[in-house]
Amino acid sequence: MAWLDTVVQGILLGGLYALFATGLSLIFGVMRLVNLAHGDFSILAAFLAVLAVRALEVNPLVALALVVPVMAVVGYALQALVLNRLLGRGILPAVLVTFGFSVIIQNGLLQALSADSQRLNPGGIETASLALGAGLAVGWFSLLTFAIAVLLLGALHLVIAGSSLGRAFRATSDDGKTAELMGIDNRHLYALAMALSLAIVAIAGVFLGIRTTFTFASGPDRLLFAFEAVIIGGLGSLWGTLVGGVVLGVAQTVGAKLSPGWGVLTGHLVFLAVLLLRPAGLFAVSRRVDS
Amino acid sequence: MTPAAPTVQRTTRASRAGAVGASVLLAALLALPVTGEAGLMRMIVELIALLVLAQMWNLLAGYAGLVSIGQQAYIGLGGYGLIVLADDLGVNPFLAVPLAGLAAVAFAVPTAALVFRFRGGYFAVGTWAVAEVFRLLIANTTVLGRGTGRTLKAVFPLARETRELVTYFLALAVGLAALAAVYLYLRSRRGVGLMAVRDSEPASESLGVDVFGTKLLVYLIAAFGTGTTGALIYLNLLRISPDAAFSINWTAYTIFIVVIGGLGTLEGPIVGTLAFFLLRELLADYGAWYMILLGVLAVLTMMRYPQGLWGLVAERWDLHFFPVRRRVRFSEPNEVATR
């Protein structure tokens, strides 16, 4: 029964990883950009939530209403003012600039808020659990995280498959030049994609901060987990990302149960095994932004 | 009178003057131990280590287009390689430095098999993930000291002055060899192929350049250079731990040095290393602000002056100390006039 419990915890953890992975996958799909500061932006969002909770004395889940729009604006500005100016110069400048942002955000958080670890307290839900019988119990908060991940992926699926914005995303992903000829403003669209990406990863960051403690240096691991979930699931597949997150989550909880130091490492090794055996991922699709 | 055949120029006035200047500098560096300034010697070892790391990363990103964020893997593997070779296998610790570089190459081959499946940005994250795997594997290995790491004991019998002197000369040799190797490689036939790959992969492939082989060779050369440097760093520090040896900061310093100095030139990493040390001395008391400033400088450089500090100088005065390009010179204009 203990093993079943471990696997269930891993599956639910996978929902959180899918939240981290979705934004990374989205901007790669739309503009082939890999944001190396993706994880650091999620931690920045979590720190903003800490500040909001302190200043306004609200529940961190309420603080989301403030943090998510702020991060969306940050995302739009990042793309419009910085990354759009690097278009047409290959991938190297954008990768290095986002790496620069990663270092700037980490050290900025260290300078502004010290190296102490932080945690967001939502007032009890993080420890409450639901008994499923036979000794199996799942945390309400883990369930909530997973449900929100599924809902967000579903909503994103609807947006990409059905809305005019989604059509523009897909058109730009397929052929940016032709999309531009059809009247799509690629630069605005890229900025919208980055805004959406950082809004989603802000939710992920705040949920992470409720689930566990974090420091200014917690970002890079989040980027790696998001990246691994994307690759395990298969590039460009939204639901694949969820499966990738779940595979990674289960690998980590099972590994940690085998030996305490082996959790994260087991996740990495499962990722490498998938890369070796199924380099296209478990659910690869040909189009990069697909649903 | 027949027109003179066009000649291919492969040196510049600056490169000839630079060769003289470099010889003087080298002589001064070789003579430095006479004054016995141990602190200065240690700093020069550190400076050379960063310079070699920068040259290797520049070869990867600036010439082969392989933006690796995981070069700390080879620093760590080189450092641990040194300790295993010298302490556990009884190899002379100074001889173990280049051998540790070879050990890094042994790990680089399977790593390349995995990360070469990625392109562009995902290659960057992939190399980072593999570096984390190496860090966590070593942090879980008891004979390697787990998370607390190990101390290099093989040098304990040596007098401190002897160890520092040999380390210093070894660093000079490593630095000189790395510079010479990169310079000669880029001037060779393979180097021309590499630069063709940088400019256009499909075009160079259609002209018969082996794109995959070229990139793989560069990756393995960089692993050797970085691994050797990692061993050199820990021969200097003596104490290694997985978190420090596999820290992303190594790669962050390296990237900032190359980007600020000038990506895709041999002079760039030299200028960048000097600028890095200068800033570090000036901002030693400001902690995290130092990294923030470097990050901001690198971002601004990438946006406004992608050719870096050296690129601005080279463009302004047409100055090339390490000419790797071939310039075709046609007959002199006055000869044309008399014809």
Side-chain angles (χ1 to χ4, degrees):
Chain A
M1 231 40 216
W3 282 105
L4 183 62
D5 185 53
T6 305
V7 171
V8 170
Q9 301 304 334
I11 292 172
L12 295 179
L13 179 61
L16 182 62
Y17 289 164
L19 275 181
F20 278 102
T22 305
L24 191 72
S25 173
L26 176 75
I27 54 161
F28 184 79
V30 173
M31 53 188 143
R32 304 290 176 277
L33 173 77
V34 176
N35 177 7
L36 293 185
H38 189 71
D40 302 295
F41 278 111
S42 79
I43 299 302
L44 174 65
F47 270 107
L48 288 179
V50 169
L51 294 182
V53 167
R54 261 190 225 159
L56 309 172
E57 293 179 359
V58 290
N59 189 297
L61 292 171
V62 178
L64 272 176
L66 200 68
V67 172
V68 169
V70 167
M71 290 307 291
V73 171
V74 169
Y76 195 97
L78 170 72
Q79 185 68 37
L81 301 178
V82 180
L83 297 173
N84 272 348
R85 300 194 181 176
L86 303 169
L87 293 176
R89 281 173 44 191
I91 81 112
L92 182 132
V95 170
L96 295 185
V97 163
T98 58
F99 183 70
F101 272 100
S102 164
V103 173
I104 294 169
I105 293 172
Q106 281 177 48
N107 286 282
L109 289 175
L110 171 63
Q111 193 68 45
L113 298 151
S114 86
D116 297 345
S117 62
Q118 307 279 343
R119 184 150 190 184
L120 289 160
N121 181 0
I125 187 181
E126 78 280 14
T127 49
S129 63
L130 171 69
L132 295 181
L136 201 62
V138 292
W140 273 111
F141 185 70
S142 296
L143 271 179
L144 177 72
T145 310
F146 194 85
I148 285 184
V150 172
L151 282 176
L152 259 174
L153 282 170
L156 198 61
H157 170 97
L158 290 178
V159 166
I160 287 175
S163 73
S164 62
L165 177 68
R167 200 156 50 241
F169 277 156
R170 281 180 286 136
T172 308
S173 170
D174 286 346
D175 186 343
K177 286 220 161 52
T178 309
E180 199 140 47
L181 289 175
M182 297 293 128
I184 291 173
D185 178 357
N186 279 351
R187 286 162 181 268
H188 174 62
L189 197 75
Y190 290 164
L192 284 179
M194 188 59 88
L196 195 54
S197 169
L198 290 201
I200 299 172
V201 90
I203 300 175
V206 171
F207 275 62
L208 173 83
I210 294 173
R211 189 191 163 86
T212 179
T213 58
F214 59 97
T215 70
F216 70 98
S218 299
D221 265 350
R222 304 304 127 195
L223 169 72
L224 294 184
F225 298 162
F227 163 71
E228 289 175 348
V230 170
I231 301 297
I232 293 173
L235 273 183
S237 163
L238 270 186
W239 295 112
T241 302
L242 182 62
V243 177
V246 166
V247 169
L248 186 65
V250 171
Q252 287 186 358
T253 51
V254 168
K257 190 159 174 67
L258 290 172
S259 167
W262 280 75
V264 173
L265 181 56
T266 310
H268 288 322
L269 293 177
V270 166
F271 155 72
L272 292 181
V274 171
L275 188 60
L276 202 61
L277 303 174
R278 278 191 69 109
L282 302 176
F283 293 89
V285 286
S286 57
R287 199 163 58 211
R288 273 76 166 205
V289 175
D290 204 285
S291 31
Chain B
M1 183 178 166
T2 53
T7 54
V8 177
Q9 196 182 2
R10 303 199 60 191
T11 58
T12 62
R13 190 175 293 168
S15 76
R16 289 183 291 268
V20 176
S23 310
V24 174
L25 179 66
L26 185 63
L29 286 172
L30 286 172
L32 181 73
V34 178
T35 67
E37 293 220 39
L40 186 62
M41 278 163 57
R42 262 196 304 276
M43 203 177 100
I44 290 174
V45 172
E46 206 186 334
L47 192 141
I48 291 174
L50 279 175
L51 175 63
V52 177
L53 294 181
Q55 287 293 354
M56 292 301 131
W57 192 81
N58 183 39
L59 196 61
L60 277 176
Y63 287 97
L66 295 167
V67 188
S68 168
I69 308 285
Q71 290 308 98
Q72 67 273 22
Y74 300 112
I75 295 176
L77 289 169
Y80 275 95
L82 166 74
I83 294 202
V84 169
L85 284 165
D87 279 4
D88 300 348
L89 303 176
V91 178
N92 175 298
F94 303 105
L95 182 66
V97 169
L99 292 180
L102 286 180
V105 173
F107 285 99
V109 173
T111 301
L114 287 167
V115 294
F116 272 50
R117 292 170 187 236
F118 296 121
R119 312 214 139 260
Y122 277 156
F123 176 84
V125 197
T127 54
W128 195 348
V130 173
E132 279 298 287
V133 170
F134 286 129
R135 177 179 73 83
L136 290 166
L137 281 174
I138 287 177
N140 281 291
T141 305
T142 307
V143 291
L144 295 176
R146 301 189 81 95
T148 44
R150 283 184 52 178
T151 303
L152 180 66
K153 297 198 178 80
V155 291
F156 284 2
L158 297 173
R160 185 175 150 182
E161 289 74 24
T162 315
R163 175 174 64 78
E164 288 188 339
L165 190 68
V166 181
T167 305
Y168 176 75
F169 282 119
L170 189 61
L172 285 186
V174 168
L176 199 64
L179 270 182
V182 173
Y183 184 47
L184 294 176
Y185 176 67
L186 290 176
R187 280 173 69 95
S188 73
R189 189 182 154 80
R190 280 181 181 279
V192 175
L194 174 60
M195 283 180 270
V197 169
R198 172 192 60 181
D199 294 339
S200 168
E201 279 190 32
S204 51
E205 185 127 52
S206 74
L207 289 170
V209 178
D210 174 9
V211 172
F212 179 80
T214 302
K215 288 188 164 192
L216 182 64
L217 181 66
V218 167
Y219 189 77
L220 298 181
I221 291 172
F224 178 70
T226 309
T228 305
T229 309
L232 182 68
I233 289 169
Y234 284 98
L235 181 64
N236 205 25
L237 295 179
L238 302 181
R239 176 96 195 103
I240 195 168
S241 74
D243 286 354
F246 290 88
S247 166
I248 183 70
N249 278 348
W250 289 115
T251 301
Y253 296 151
T254 308
I255 291 179
F256 293 159
I257 285 173
V258 177
V259 166
I260 293 169
L263 191 70
T265 60
L266 266 92
E267 295 91 341
I270 301 175
V271 174
T273 307
L274 295 175
F276 180 87
F277 265 74
L278 193 69
L279 281 176
R280 201 178 68 174
E281 296 304 309
L282 290 175
L283 298 171
D285 303 330
Y286 291 89
W289 284 112
Y290 171 58
M291 286 303 281
I292 296 173
L293 178 73
L294 279 181
V296 169
L297 278 178
V299 167
L300 288 179
T301 307
M302 218 57 236
M303 291 185 68
R304 304 296 292 275
Y305 309 103
Q307 70 277 52
L309 278 177
W310 181 255
L312 292 175
V313 173
E315 200 172 285
R316 176 82 172 68
W317 288 287
D318 193 28
L319 206 53
H320 302 277
F321 285 109
F322 295 99
V324 294
R325 282 183 288 182
R326 290 160 166 79
R327 292 190 186 188
V328 180
R329 294 269 186 247
F330 293 96
S331 47
E332 295 295 319
N334 56 350
E335 286 178 32
V336 176
T338 54
R339 196 146 34 95

